[in-house]
């Protein structure tokens, strides 16, 4: 966290407008160390209240709204994956007193990407802004989270989410209707990431939303529809010093089930015992998943420079008759941003019969 905080203090928290393009930081630094003094920490189970908890939690240092999905054009001929993450990062626990309207204790970063599977193209974008002068922020009622004109909002009481995502390479507008209940991840929403008390987040998901809207790409406007996944987390610290990164799966199966599982990787190459997940359906949580329930084996890799990402996995879920094969729809879906990681659309097939089982998203971080 210290490297990213230093960057953002220099470029965003001062009186003058930010300038230099950020360098790349290690994910372990972004979500690891740094002083937690004065911030709230995720240490015990808490009650969740909706829609209030869809909104911001400024007492915690880090927070994000994370939306991914798989879309198809109305004629069914073109497939796309999309991702947007809006990060809130507190530089200090208390608001800043200053005569300058530019100064703030909250800064924002956002990542967005589109995978055009048919064209074999992946594009990714990044933005930074202060939580000042209306440039970025989050409000609870009505819910709105934004960084400039990238915006996610919730229409109450109907529960319809709306996404506006204009970028230099594409413009995506979606309406998203929840098709499954909220799932509280971990222990009733407390997601412990390492042995140290407080190295945890409050974490919930809406594993399935029906998405429809328009995608403007290369001068063409396409009507698109598909399914999306919304994740919410807030914390003050997460990874421990012995952890290097994670492999995170969000899979939407054609039979209506949804699987989330993150495998935390340790510096010695082993899987951390705090790896965790859930299996849910249209009725909500079916069961929590631990490392004893899930076996992950990489089958194929994509190499870029000094990084080697597993882009095809065998996933054995306890109780399933056959393993699943989780395969990237495009090998190159790397996010080459201030924090480099791989994130992209995947398909799920039966490893024995070859039958299609579903689709989803895969994030792999910390492969430095």
């Amino acid at each position: 966290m210290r490297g990213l905080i230093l960057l953002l203090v220099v470029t965003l928290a001062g009186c003058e407008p930010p300038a230099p393009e950020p360098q790349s930081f290690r994910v372990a630094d972004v979500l690891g160390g740094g002083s937690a003094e004065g911030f709230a920490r995720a240490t015990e189970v808490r009650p969740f209240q909706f829609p209030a908890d869809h909104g911001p939690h400024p007492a915690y240092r880090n927070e994000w709204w994370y939306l991914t999905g798989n879309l198809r054009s109305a004629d069914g001929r073109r497939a796309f994956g999309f991702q947007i993450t809006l990060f809130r990062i507190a530089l200090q626990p208390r608001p800043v007193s200053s005569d300058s309207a530019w100064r703030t204790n909250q800064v924002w970063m956002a990542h967005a990407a589109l995978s055009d599977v048919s064209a074999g193209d992946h594009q990714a974008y990044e933005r930074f802004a202060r939580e000042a002068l209306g440039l970025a922020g989050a409000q609870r009622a009505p819910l709105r989270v934004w960084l400039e004109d990238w915006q996610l909002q919730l229409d109450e009481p109907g529960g319809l989410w709306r996404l506006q995502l204009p970028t230099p390479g594409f413009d995506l507008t979606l309406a998203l209707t929840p098709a499954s209940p909220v799932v509280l991840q971990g222990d009733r929403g407390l997601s412990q990431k390492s042995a140290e008390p407080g190295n945890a987040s409050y974490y919930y998901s809406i594993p399935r939303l029906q998405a429809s809207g328009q995608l403007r790409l290369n001068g063409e406007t396409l009507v698109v529809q598909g399914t999306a996944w919304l994740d919410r987390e807030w914390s003050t610290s997460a990874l421990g010093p012995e952890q290097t990164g994670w492999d995170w799966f969000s899979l939407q199966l054609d039979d209506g089930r949804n699987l989330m599982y993150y495998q935390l990787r340790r510096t010695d190459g082993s899987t951390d015992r705090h790896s965790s997940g859930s299996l849910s359906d249209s009725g909500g949580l079916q069961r929590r998943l631990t490392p004893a329930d899930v076996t992950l084996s990489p089958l194929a890799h994509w190499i870029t420079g000094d990084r080697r990402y597993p882009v095809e996995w065998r996933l054995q879920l306890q109780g399933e008759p056959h393993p699943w094969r989780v395969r990237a729809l495009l090998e190159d879906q790397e996010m080459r941003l201030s924090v480099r990681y791989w994130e992209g659309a995947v398909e799920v097939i039966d490893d024995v019969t070859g039958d299609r089982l579903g689709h989803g998203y895969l994030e792999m971080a910390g492969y430095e």
Side-chain angles (χ1 to χ4, degrees), residues 31-54:
L31 292 178
S35 174
E37 185 178 354
F39 291 102
R41 302 192 75 181
T43 57
E44 59 186 7
V45 173
R46 66 182 287 277
F48 284 74
Q49 296 182 336
F50 299 104
D53 275 322
H54 294 320

Side-chain angles (χ1 to χ4, degrees), residues 287-311:
R287 62 172 167 141
R288 291 180 58 190
L289 301 176
T290 71
D293 300 310
V294 179
T295 302
L296 288 167
S297 306
L299 300 176
H301 293 80
W302 175 72
I303 300 172
T304 175
D306 59 347
R307 306 196 181 206
R308 186 170 180 261
Y309 295 103
V311 291

Side-chain angles (χ1 to χ4, degrees), residues 11-299:
T11 61
L12 296 174
C15 308
E16 299 301 322
E21 187 72 16
Q23 68 186 72
S24 181
F25 292 97
R26 294 177 64 249
V27 70
D29 293 334
V30 174
L31 292 178
S35 174
E37 185 178 354
F39 291 102
R41 302 192 75 181
T43 57
E44 59 186 7
V45 173
R46 66 182 287 277
F48 284 74
Q49 296 182 336
F50 299 104
D53 275 322
H54 294 320
H57 301 80
Y60 297 82
R61 188 169 60 187
N62 312 314
E63 183 165 20
W64 53 81
W65 292 255
Y66 171 75
L67 184 68
T68 61
N70 284 268
L71 305 171
R72 298 198 73 89
S73 59
D75 60 11
R77 295 182 180 179
R78 300 182 65 179
F80 304 93
F82 77 90
Q83 184 251 126
I84 179 171
T85 312
L86 294 148
F87 302 89
R88 179 192 61 77
I89 305 161
L91 303 176
Q92 63 183 46
R94 290 164 294 281
V96 176
S97 297
S98 172
D99 293 334
S100 172
W102 283 100
R103 289 196 182 275
T104 176
N105 71 321
Q106 303 284 342
V107 293
W108 287 76
M109 176 175 71
H111 291 178
L114 183 77
S115 298
D116 184 344
V117 177
S118 306
D121 178 64
H122 177 260
Q123 47 184 304
Y125 301 95
E126 180 175 58
R127 289 182 177 180
F128 293 91
R130 304 172 174 92
E131 189 176 285
L133 300 174
L135 294 174
Q139 64 183 37
R140 285 195 171 184
L143 177 73
R144 178 174 171 253
V145 188
W146 74 96
L147 199 164
E148 298 172 349
D149 57 358
W150 293 3
Q151 178 173 270
L152 182 65
Q153 63 187 86
L154 176 64
D155 294 344
E156 287 290 344
L160 181 71
W161 294 79
R162 297 186 185 277
L163 172 67
Q164 296 175 13
L165 186 57
T167 76
F170 67 91
D171 186 343
L172 181 62
T173 303
L174 291 176
L176 304 122
T177 304
S180 64
V182 167
V183 172
L184 301 181
Q185 306 291 2
D187 180 8
R188 293 163 287 173
L190 178 65
S191 179
Q192 190 71 35
K193 299 301 198 298
S194 77
E196 181 183 339
N199 271 10
S201 67
Y202 292 114
Y203 179 10
Y204 71 85
S205 307
I206 303 178
R208 194 174 295 242
L209 301 100
Q210 298 300 326
S212 62
Q214 290 187 337
L215 171 64
R216 296 185 180 90
L217 180 66
N218 299 327
E220 184 179 6
T221 299
L222 301 169
V223 176
V224 292
Q225 59 185 10
T227 56
W229 182 297
L230 177 69
D231 261 11
R232 288 279 290 111
E233 287 194 71
W234 57 94
S235 67
T236 290
S237 60
L239 296 184
E242 73 286 355
Q243 298 168 322
T244 60
W246 62 85
D247 308 300
W248 175 88
F249 297 78
S250 62
L251 307 178
Q252 297 163 322
L253 303 181
D254 294 343
D255 65 9
R257 292 182 297 166
N258 312 294
L259 179 138
M260 185 284 291
Y261 188 75
Y262 57 82
Q263 172 179 261
L264 296 169
R265 302 190 311 276
R266 298 175 63 86
T267 53
D268 63 4
S270 63
T271 297
D272 194 278
R273 65 183 179 88
H274 294 93
S275 302
S276 180
S278 66
L279 189 67
S280 63
D281 60 14
S282 60
L285 178 67
Q286 287 187 336
R287 62 172 167 141
R288 291 180 58 190
L289 301 176
T290 71
D293 300 310
V294 179
T295 302
L296 288 167
S297 306
L299 300 176

